[in-house]
Amino acid sequence: MISRKVLVGSLVCLGVIAVAIWARAGSGKIHYLPYYLPCPEIFSMKLQYTEEKLIQLFPQLFYQQPRVLVPKYTRFVRRFLESAEQHFMQGYQVNYYIFTDSPGSIVPARLQRGRRLLALPVPSFSSWQEISMRRMETISRHLARLRPAELHYLFCLDIDMVFHNPWGPETLGDMVAAIHPGYFTVPREQFPYERRSSSAAFIPEGEGDFYYGGAVFGGLVSKVYEFTKTCHMTILADKANGIMAAWQEESHLNRHFLTHKPSKLLSPEYIWDDRKPKPPEIRLVRFSTVEKNYKEIRN
Amino acid sequence: RQDVLVLTPWLAPIVWEGTFSRDILNAQYLQKNLVTGVVTFAVEKYWFFIEGFMTSANKYFLAGHQVNFYLFTDSPEKVSHLQMAPEKQLFVIPVQNGSSWQDISRCRMRMVSSHIQRQFQHQVDYLYSMDINVQLLAHVGVEIIDDLVATISSWQVTPQQDSKTHGTHPELQGDFHYTASFYGGSVAEMYKLTTACFGGLGEDRQNGIKAQGYHERHLNKYLLQHKPTRLLSPEYYWDTEL
């Protein structure tokens, strides 16, 4: 139970911040209201570890739909789910959380035992970049509402991708990131980090271990919560300064993983791009993008 | 390192010199403000090793990090003159010496287990058990910190023709043979390990089984079923008899 004082305190905090923002940006430009999630108490409790074989996992997926008549990403959902049912964490309890601005258009697919699908509504946004960046906010808000006993691990995956081969418990870890398929053979000077120092996602030359892909990340629920919350804050900081990072939330993700290193990395087998020719190092493509027309989707 | 195995089939790293950067690890660990504990026993004639062990451990074990040394000994008067480094603390725990080898070993597991429950879990995050008759020759740092850590026995690395008197030659079943001279992990995992081993040793005693190296045998049996999350190469405990 959140004590009265904390609640009042955080409301006052919110009020003060809101006033400050309104005062500053009152010229008719877009207002961004940073919120403060007053409930990290959930995660200060020690998570109990049960030693059962079944681990609850929740791949959270982003289903983006720009405001047009024809839902563009619906077709991806079916293919994603079918392939996930075949390859993703066989034998484990899995919940799929699909964030979408049209929950009605998600056709309930037939799932194996121990698996559930939940379609969660999110507001639609004006541009695909906005949708992409809002992922962090949505995920952290969703986790704040969740009871910790419900789930152990969480993966956040892009919906416009498909599983081709098994994805199992070798991927589980405290904080898991995947190496971007386009940058695992190049030196760090060529990583597309955000290089403008005015951005909160700035990484100077000569720094950086890997370039991680934004389409796959995961880990323990508490770690993912901290991670998405921090990324959301840095994205908001950039917005307040009128700057958008080079690769949106992927830049912020890379910045965060530089200072808080992931406990486990997945090779590009787990985040492949089918448009690229397969080099000999990649023995098994497990998860890759679906052929799509970018112009058509991103209007 | 291309010449040795650096990852187990269950994705636990095997720590060898050359596979890690201590600077990067230190930067990550200093953020967390961890306290590590070391449990060691010096009973009967083994009090002789205390000074050598403590001097080398003071210098080389997790230098720059907070460490609590818990020394179980039946001759506490012999440890008073030791000087400790600023982040290191020494706790002397007096014990009665047991009657036989089995008793000592079994009592150790029981003592560590009960001390974890009563005291250590509130004082440290990670706990390691080390034999007193060792000296550290080089830095041992935060690369050893993980939930359940075991050291690969040096007996496995060099094949030997004749069996030594050190103990019954361990049957090399399972993944690796771990030495009982240096192992550890989080307090929760160490509690589970010591409690399980104590139970196993109790059974053996009831059945009248006595053999040297049984402490190690029970440890290995436990680690076969509860795979360590990190392995240390034999660099971390080398038996000079080899």
Side-chain angles (χ1 to χ4, degrees):
Chain A
M1 290 308 271
I2 307 173
S3 76
R4 254 250 206 98
K5 258 199 212 152
V6 172
L7 197 57
V8 169
S10 48
L11 281 175
V12 167
C13 234
L14 261 179
V16 165
I17 295 171
V19 164
I21 295 290
W22 282 102
R24 231 188 79 184
S27 62
K29 290 213 307 237
I30 312 167
H31 305 295
Y32 297 106
L33 199 85
Y35 65 93
Y36 170 72
L37 285 170
C39 50
E41 283 106 64
I42 301 177
F43 293 103
S44 62
M45 280 166 25
K46 272 214 166 112
L47 290 169
Q48 251 185 329
Y49 250 112
T50 44
E51 263 168 297
E52 313 151 352
K53 289 282 188 283
L54 286 175
I55 301 175
Q56 291 226 341
L57 296 147
F58 297 80
Q60 297 204 146
L61 314 153
F62 252 83
Y63 167 41
Q64 309 155 3
Q65 188 183 0
R67 236 180 312 109
V68 278
L69 294 169
V70 178
K72 288 180 179 164
Y73 273 75
T74 337
R75 63 189 118 151
F76 294 122
V77 177
R78 189 179 51 81
R79 286 186 66 174
F80 181 98
L81 284 175
E82 276 173 10
S83 62
E85 281 300 288
Q86 207 186 343
H87 295 297
F88 184 80
M89 306 296 296
Q90 288 301 313
Y92 289 84
Q93 281 188 299
V94 175
N95 280 30
Y96 300 97
Y97 284 140
I98 304 190
F99 293 93
T100 171
D101 59 356
S102 62
S105 64
I106 305 280
V107 177
R110 218 186 32 195
L111 302 173
Q112 295 166 47
R113 260 164 47 102
R115 296 182 171 226
R116 289 195 297 162
L117 176 93
L118 284 95
L120 299 155
V122 292
S124 46
F125 297 104
S126 46
S127 66
W128 68 267
Q129 294 97 328
E130 186 66 25
I131 296 168
S132 199
M133 290 203 288
R134 288 281 176 172
R135 283 205 304 163
M136 295 297 178
E137 176 187 12
T138 314
I139 294 169
S140 56
R141 276 201 146 130
H142 178 64
L143 287 177
R145 282 199 303 264
L146 228 48
R147 288 171 298 137
E150 266 183 28
L151 61 155
H152 302 100
Y153 292 97
L154 179 70
F155 277 104
C156 305
L157 309 172
D158 272 7
I159 189 80
D160 54 355
M161 299 179 72
V162 157
F163 292 92
H164 297 288
N165 276 294
W167 175 305
E170 73 279 2
T171 58
L172 296 177
D174 283 5
M175 189 72 224
V176 183
I179 301 175
H180 195 290
Y183 299 97
F184 70 101
T185 51
V186 305
R188 65 159 71 103
E189 294 79 37
Q190 294 178 33
F191 291 165
Y193 289 146
E194 173 54 62
R195 299 292 188 191
R196 291 169 292 178
S197 53
S198 50
S199 166
F202 170 60
I203 295 180
E205 299 278 342
E207 281 190 38
D209 314 296
F210 298 92
Y211 190 74
Y212 305 105
V216 170
F217 64 92
L220 289 173
V221 165
S222 55
K223 298 274 185 189
V224 175
Y225 173 72
E226 283 302 319
F227 172 74
T228 49
K229 192 166 82 130
T230 314
C231 279
H232 176 58
M233 292 299 166
T234 51
I235 289 172
L236 284 177
D238 270 9
K239 273 195 174 147
N241 291 324
I243 185 170
M244 186 195 296
W247 284 99
Q248 297 84 47
E249 88 278 12
E250 189 174 84
S251 306
H252 289 272
L253 178 146
N254 272 278
R255 172 71 235 183
H256 190 256
F257 280 143
L258 181 63
T259 42
H260 300 81
K261 300 193 192 297
S263 68
K264 183 175 287 199
L265 266 61
L266 302 178
S267 71
E269 294 169 357
Y270 292 85
I271 178 175
W272 193 247
D273 185 346
D274 274 343
R275 291 168 300 170
K276 306 179 79 59
K278 202 166 81 135
E281 297 92 28
I282 303 289
R283 294 186 185 175
L284 201 67
V285 172
R286 300 174 195 269
F287 188 56
S288 68
T289 53
V290 172
E291 249 326 298
K292 63 179 180 277
N293 188 335
Y294 277 97
K295 263 174 50 171
E296 188 196 310
I297 305 257
R298 291 181 177 174
N299 59 321
Chain B
R1 292 266 320 242
Q2 308 254 344
D3 54 333
V4 290
L5 190 69
V6 292
L7 199 65
T8 67
W10 61 91
L11 296 180
I14 307 180
V15 182
W16 294 86
E17 183 59 31
T19 60
F20 62 95
S21 156
R22 195 167 280 135
D23 292 332
I24 296 182
L25 288 172
N26 271 328
Q28 295 285 297
Y29 276 96
L30 286 170
Q31 285 175 16
K32 299 182 195 178
N33 280 326
L34 299 170
V35 183
T36 310
V38 174
V39 150
T40 184
F41 285 79
V43 292
E44 295 184 8
K45 295 205 247 333
Y46 281 77
W47 65 263
F48 176 72
F49 295 105
I50 296 177
E51 189 170 346
F53 175 86
M54 287 310 305
T55 343
S56 65
N58 234 329
K59 189 170 164 204
Y60 287 125
F61 191 81
L62 289 177
H65 296 265
Q66 269 198 292
V67 181
N68 290 1
F69 290 96
Y70 298 106
L71 178 64
F72 290 81
T73 181
D74 57 356
S75 31
E77 66 283 357
K78 298 203 168 72
V79 292
S80 50
H81 63 282
L82 288 170
Q83 261 243 299
M84 303 296 292
E87 324 80 32
K88 310 272 192 281
Q89 277 191 295
L90 176 64
F91 295 86
V92 180
I93 304 175
V95 295
Q96 308 267 18
N97 47 351
S99 47
S100 66
W101 258 112
Q102 298 96 298
D103 282 348
I104 292 174
S105 205
R106 184 160 162 266
C107 280
R108 286 185 200 201
M109 286 296 191
R110 181 169 58 82
M111 276 194 271
V112 174
S113 176
S114 67
H115 273 86
I116 291 176
Q117 196 189 31
R118 276 188 290 147
Q119 183 188 0
F120 299 161
Q121 64 167 321
H122 307 294
Q123 293 182 339
V124 300
D125 305 293
Y126 292 91
L127 189 67
Y128 289 84
S129 167
M130 293 176 79
D131 273 2
I132 192 80
N133 57 342
V134 298
Q135 282 218 8
L136 281 78
L137 303 167
H139 281 285
V140 171
V142 296
E143 69 276 6
I144 66 170
I145 305 273
D146 212 323
D147 284 341
L148 187 57
V149 185
T151 309
I152 299 175
S153 171
S154 44
W155 291 95
Q156 196 178 16
V157 174
T158 52
Q160 74 236 57
Q161 268 68 34
D162 43 0
S163 63
K164 302 273 186 169
T165 54
H166 181 74
T168 58
H169 187 54
E171 52 267 46
L172 291 168
Q173 67 168 5
D175 320 292
F176 298 90
H177 190 79
Y178 307 109
T179 173
S181 305
F182 186 15
Y183 60 91
S186 65
V187 284
E189 289 296 326
M190 278 297 272
Y191 181 69
K192 284 194 276 184
L193 189 155
T194 48
T195 317
C197 285
F198 162 60
L201 287 165
E203 271 175 35
D204 270 6
R205 188 166 186 245
Q206 280 195 327
N207 300 333
I209 298 176
K210 27 167 120 179
Q212 285 215 322
Y214 54 84
H215 178 198
E216 207 164 87
R217 186 170 295 163
H218 281 279
L219 177 74
N220 273 272
K221 190 167 155 203
Y222 180 85
L223 291 173
L224 190 63
Q225 292 157 356
H226 306 82
K227 300 210 184 299
T229 57
R230 185 171 295 224
L231 268 60
L232 304 179
S233 73
E235 293 164 351
Y236 285 85
Y237 178 73
W238 192 259
D239 195 336
T240 48
E241 276 187 44
L242 285 167

